[in-house]
Amino acid sequence: MSNQTQTPIAVEITDELIAEHGLSSSEYKLLLEILGRTPSGTELGIFSVMWSEHCSYKSSRFHLKKLPVTGPQVIKGPGENAGVVDLGDGQAAIFKMESHNHPSFIEPFQGAATGVGGIMRDVFTMGARPIANLNALRFGSPDHPKTNHLVNGVVAGIAGYGNCMGVPTIGGETNFDDRYNQNILVNAMCIGLADTDKIFYSAAKGVGLPVVYVGAKTGRDGIHGATMASAQFDDQSDEKRPTVQVGDPFTEKLLLEACLELMSSDAIIAIQDMGAAGLTSSSVEMADKGGVGFDMNLDLVPQRESEMSAYEMMLSESQERMLMVLKPGSEEAAKAIFDKWDLNFAVIGLTTDTGRLVVHHKGQMEADLPVAKLADSAPEYQRPFTKTPAPKTIEPTTISDDGDVLETLTKLMGGPHLCSRRWIWEQYDHMVMGDTIERPGGDAPVVRIHGTKKGLAASTDVTPRYCYADPYEGGKQAVVETWRNITAVGATPLAITNCLNFGNPEREDIMGQFIGCLEGMGQACTELDYPIVSGNVSLYNETNGVGIPPTPAIGGIGLIQDISKLVNISFKNEGDAIIVIGETNGHVGQSLYQELITGNFEGAPPPVDLSIERKHGDVIRSLILDKRVNAVHDVSDGGLLVAIAEMALSGKTGATLNAQEEQLPAPAYWFGEDQARYVVTVGKKEAHALLYLLANEQISASQIGTVGGDNLSIEGQNSLPIDQLSEVFETFLPNLLA
């Protein structure tokens, strides 16, 4: 490219221009020190996105380094497009969770759709065929004027993209809380399956290699999306709608098939999705990991709009695009594959030995930047923080009793926190590909590893009210809840991904929440041998100074070797004994019952004892694999009676429960949210033997009822027809969102 002009043209830099690019004055000063000159407009844009919170993790990197990321099952931990864990038999699971919060609040359909598309590209970029999607959604109060529009748009966007791709959306969670009124959360997770000897990475090692652009054409959508995702909102947030990308799942399906076909050859040296910050981040990350430079000519980039500038092309976040580095001589064969799939293919540059990102456009050098400084020299802030004060434990005897326990159950099950999410997940094609063997609605959905007896279980979870009250305990509980859900179907938990959603890290209380949650997560992952292999940090989820509750969403996966041994939550057989495993102490702080009665969440969340969690979970898993239990459900939101009701509703059969024996107020006993508990059912004749086994293991357990009939009843109290409970459980959400 020697015919190009070799001097980037500087622009007039003002304080306003620096601020518009999301850079502080000290960050701009550092930029000048690195360059030794005033940047061009394109260079300023490149620095701004690479040093954005979304791309550089400048407020979180220091603390993320403390998390456990290794284990014998881990093939690749954080640092690539997605994490990789070994499944045995030459197979690997590749998975990740990411946020698309700000775009989904501004433009719910496209924001959610492109979030799904982006996370799938992260997975198939590494050579995996996506086999399952999940999501974790959080909206404001059901009666907030925006909630209906946002829920309908987000759900339609997720369904529209995932269904068109032919990848099942098998599970997730949806919460409503008025603290998300101005900042909803849309976290998308994808799991893919790959051969361990065909995993692709992003390091562009080698000089003189062709840099290849494939996929859709570049447009002006999504410019400065990464910067927008790194800023808090105000009353003018709707004006940022042009920074939201527009997705095309049909193009992505073609891109998936073309990439996998090329991956069956030996042509690819490195590959990277063009996600946040588009061509900028993909080229910088590939060059940095490979220790090389990139020399690119943007005249060769396929464009769908006329007169695009270098600045626009480098910062565009147009969807369904990939950047590759190929072996010399393979270009023609690779192009033939992409031509067959009707996709763009263009050699836009070469790798160099300079260690610099050089960008040309229309005869002018637009950027000449040191790759390593772009990738690794963003400021790393150890922001000041204040620890969240320890909340007071609320004694179970102090909680109000509103009377009839089953009437209270009906209110809880027919309200926004616990009602059926069927209206949502039935819009997703959760059966496509034919390998979904446990559907949404239970503890953990399961997909068969095609052509084998093995299955992958998955779960997304976090309880933000716990994290707000006590970040350390809440962080532990978020990890443990996915571990329990995966365990409850009989799978062995393998590893987690995460999406760390928080407010403004420049506020000391928010930074304290972040650090506390990470400490709890790290402790749980360590003690459960459940490492973190990928993830995403989403900060500045805040509008007009009001932040969201700390929401470190966890996505876990687990493996079961023989899917014939799976269990689910459904009551199965008339006369089965209902046994609760784990101690019931009536912990009512931060419980859904407390909020129902008082209108507030107060006090300490339930403590999490990781040694007990592990002991109980390991026993539950062994009982399942030995086929000694007919149904299993972990006890979580809403407590013991809610767990039993969910099992009854799933099995379409009732139960008779014993009169309460523990010396606790009835609401604390039935609705307390103590951790490390499971409800299991066994044949009547096997109950005594199971209780004896658990006693020998020094695990608290008791029989609390019997499966059967058409009602849910408690000795000495009124009965509740299952049909009546089902009616309120199933209709709340459709009525709300119609």
Side-chain angles (χ1 to χ4, degrees):
M1 300 189 180
S2 57
N3 61 327
Q4 306 283 338
T5 304
Q6 298 301 308
T7 306
I9 300 174
V11 294
E12 181 182 354
I13 304 295
T14 64
D15 291 343
E16 290 76 16
L17 187 63
I18 294 169
E20 284 175 12
H21 282 77
L23 295 171
S24 67
S25 57
S26 62
E27 288 169 346
Y28 181 68
K29 182 179 179 182
L30 177 60
L31 182 161
L32 291 178
E33 291 174 1
I34 290 171
L35 275 187
R37 57 177 171 80
T38 302
S40 70
T42 300
E43 290 173 329
L44 180 64
I46 289 171
F47 265 102
S48 78
V49 292
M50 289 305 299
W51 285 10
S52 68
E53 194 74 62
H54 191 78
C55 291
S56 73
Y57 292 3
K58 57 191 174 186
S59 296
S60 57
R61 283 204 314 270
F62 175 78
H63 302 286
L64 294 173
K65 294 172 187 175
K66 305 172 189 176
L67 295 173
V69 297
T70 60
Q73 71 274 46
V74 177
I75 294 175
K76 183 62 183 176
E80 273 294 337
N81 287 289
V84 187
V85 294
D86 195 349
L87 301 178
D89 303 314
Q91 294 178 308
I94 298 181
F95 69 110
K96 190 181 182 184
M97 177 188 281
E98 278 211 348
S99 64
H100 233 223
N101 303 333
H102 285 43
S104 299
F105 184 72
I106 296 171
E107 183 60 63
F109 182 92
Q110 289 295 348
T114 51
V116 171
I119 197 64
M120 281 196 279
R121 286 196 304 280
D122 281 340
V123 166
F124 74 73
T125 294
M126 297 189 70
R129 179 173 290 279
I131 60 170
N133 290 331
L134 295 92
N135 52 69
L137 313 176
R138 284 172 175 85
F139 299 101
S141 172
D143 58 6
H144 189 272
K146 285 189 176 181
T147 296
N148 189 303
H149 165 69
L150 291 169
V151 175
N152 275 282
V154 165
V155 171
I158 292 170
Y161 211 104
N163 294 357
C164 290
M165 283 290 293
V167 178
T169 300
I170 62 170
E173 57 174 343
T174 303
N175 295 156
F176 297 92
D177 186 321
D178 60 10
R179 292 174 290 183
Y180 298 102
N181 279 347
Q182 299 301 323
N183 284 89
I184 66 171
L185 302 184
V186 175
N187 297 171
M189 177 177 170
C190 182
I191 306 168
L193 188 66
D195 293 334
T196 53
D197 61 352
K198 276 290 185 180
I199 296 171
F200 292 82
Y201 298 102
S202 56
K205 297 179 180 178
V207 174
L209 307 176
V211 177
V212 177
Y213 173 119
V214 300
K217 293 181 178 179
T218 293
R220 291 188 170 94
D221 52 322
I223 294 173
H224 268 299
T227 308
M228 180 267 288
S230 305
Q232 59 184 317
F233 281 166
D234 54 29
D235 292 333
Q236 280 72 51
S237 60
D238 279 355
E239 295 175 5
K240 297 178 180 179
R241 184 169 279 110
T243 62
V244 177
Q245 311 93 325
V246 178
D248 179 357
F250 300 104
T251 298
E252 178 134 332
K253 175 64 173 172
L254 299 177
L255 183 61
L256 163 65
E257 300 301 339
C259 286
L260 292 180
E261 182 173 341
L262 182 58
M263 286 168 172
S264 67
S265 71
D266 64 350
I268 298 175
I269 290 174
I271 181 169
Q272 177 80 30
D273 163 43
M274 287 193 225
L279 187 54
T280 288
S281 63
S282 56
S283 57
V284 170
E285 289 171 12
M286 293 175 79
D288 181 57
K289 290 174 183 175
V292 298
F294 271 28
D295 192 333
M296 298 191 299
N297 182 357
L298 300 187
D299 298 344
L300 305 174
V301 170
Q303 300 161 52
R304 69 166 185 261
E305 298 183 47
S306 61
E307 300 302 317
M308 289 191 72
S309 67
Y311 181 101
E312 291 172 325
M313 280 188 275
M314 289 302 292
L315 270 62
S316 168
E317 294 184 10
S318 294
Q319 298 292 285
E320 295 91 35
R321 302 179 301 158
M322 296 280 191
L323 198 63
M324 299 179 176
V325 172
L326 301 181
K327 290 183 177 179
S330 64
E331 299 96 312
E332 187 175 337
K335 184 177 186 302
I337 291 173
F338 284 86
D339 285 347
K340 182 183 79 171
W341 290 101
D342 198 23
L343 293 167
N344 294 283
F345 179 100
V347 178
I348 65 169
L350 294 171
T351 62
T352 69
D353 60 2
T354 65
R356 301 186 73 82
L357 176 68
V358 179
V359 177
H360 305 277
H361 185 228
K362 294 185 176 179
Q364 171 66 44
M365 180 187 285
E366 290 282 350
D368 182 2
L369 301 169
V371 166
K373 295 293 185 181
L374 270 176
D376 305 320
S377 293
E380 182 180 286
Y381 296 122
Q382 295 183 44
R383 297 193 184 277
F385 69 94
T386 54
K387 188 175 180 179
T388 302
K392 180 181 178 181
T393 298
I394 295 177
E395 296 300 324
T397 53
T398 64
I399 194 75
S400 299
D401 186 346
D402 77 336
D404 189 295
V405 167
L406 294 174
E407 183 179 336
T408 301
L409 174 70
T410 303
K411 292 177 184 176
L412 285 169
M413 301 292 285
H417 299 306
L418 295 176
C419 70
S420 170
R421 271 48 176 169
R422 184 185 303 275
W423 180 90
I424 293 173
W425 58 257
E426 282 193 341
Q427 295 187 52
Y428 309 146
D429 190 339
H430 50 274
M431 298 302 294
V432 66
M433 299 177 78
D435 282 318
T436 305
I437 53 176
E438 281 297 327
R439 305 182 185 192
D443 279 323
V446 181
V447 289
R448 179 193 296 108
I449 296 175
H450 193 73
T452 74
K453 296 193 301 180
K454 298 190 296 185
L456 276 177
S459 172
T460 60
D461 253 297
V462 63
T463 310
R465 62 185 188 276
Y466 292 177
C467 296
Y468 182 79
D470 186 332
Y472 177 71
E473 289 296 328
K476 283 198 293 184
Q477 196 273 342
V479 172
V480 164
E481 179 64 19
T482 65
W483 193 85
R484 280 201 304 257
N485 286 340
I486 290 166
T487 290
V489 298
T492 300
L494 292 176
I496 68 168
T497 182
N498 60 61
C499 198
L500 306 176
N501 308 276
F502 290 80
N504 183 350
E506 297 167 51
R507 288 173 44 188
E508 292 187 16
D509 58 330
I510 300 296
M511 202 63 211
Q513 292 171 355
F514 182 83
I515 292 170
C517 284
L518 259 66
E519 288 175 347
M521 289 166 51
Q523 188 69 29
C525 289
T526 297
E527 295 199 27
L528 297 174
D529 294 325
Y530 194 36
I532 299 166
V533 298
S534 60
N536 169 240
V537 179
S538 175
L539 302 177
Y540 295 97
N541 291 287
E542 188 163 303
T543 297
N544 294 328
V546 179
I548 62 164
T551 312
I554 305 297
I557 69 165
L559 177 68
I560 185 165
Q561 294 289 345
D562 184 353
I563 55 177
S564 70
K565 296 180 178 180
L566 283 172
V567 299
N568 57 29
I569 72 171
S570 302
F571 283 159
K572 305 292 191 307
N573 309 312
E574 193 94 7
D576 274 2
I578 302 170
I579 294 173
V580 60
I581 296 174
E583 291 188 3
T584 297
N585 297 310
H587 194 102
V588 292
Q590 299 296 321
S591 67
L592 295 182
Y593 177 82
Q594 179 194 54
E595 196 250 1
L596 178 70
I597 300 305
T598 69
N600 295 300
F601 294 113
E602 297 175 342
V608 176
D609 186 318
L610 292 167
S611 62
I612 293 177
E613 290 283 0
R614 176 144 198 171
K615 183 177 183 179
H616 290 188
D618 289 348
V619 165
I620 287 291
R621 201 177 308 109
S622 68
L623 292 174
I624 294 170
L625 298 181
D626 291 341
K627 295 191 172 184
R628 297 193 61 168
V629 288
N630 299 327
V632 178
H633 191 13
D634 87 307
V635 180
S636 56
D637 278 351
L640 179 58
L641 190 57
V642 167
I644 293 168
E646 289 171 341
M647 298 174 83
L649 289 167
S650 181
K652 297 181 173 60
T653 188
T656 300
L657 304 178
N658 304 339
Q660 175 191 336
E661 294 181 1
E662 279 78 357
Q663 298 304 306
L664 288 170
Y669 175 76
W670 291 113
F671 303 115
E673 297 182 4
D674 306 279
Q675 301 293 291
R677 292 186 297 166
Y678 299 82
V679 177
V680 305
T681 65
V682 297
K684 184 177 180 180
K685 294 180 180 179
E686 287 79 39
H688 179 75
L690 178 58
L691 291 170
Y692 182 78
L693 180 152
L694 294 169
N696 280 344
E697 296 285 340
Q698 297 184 313
I699 293 175
S700 173
S702 59
Q703 182 174 343
I704 60 168
T706 304
V707 173
D710 298 323
N711 301 319
L712 188 60
S713 60
I714 302 172
E715 290 178 359
Q717 297 191 29
N718 293 330
S719 294
L720 174 62
I722 291 298
D723 287 348
Q724 181 179 321
L725 182 61
S726 179
E727 176 70 15
V728 298
F729 179 64
E730 295 288 355
T731 57
F732 179 86
L733 212 52
N735 289 343
L736 172 71
L737 300 170

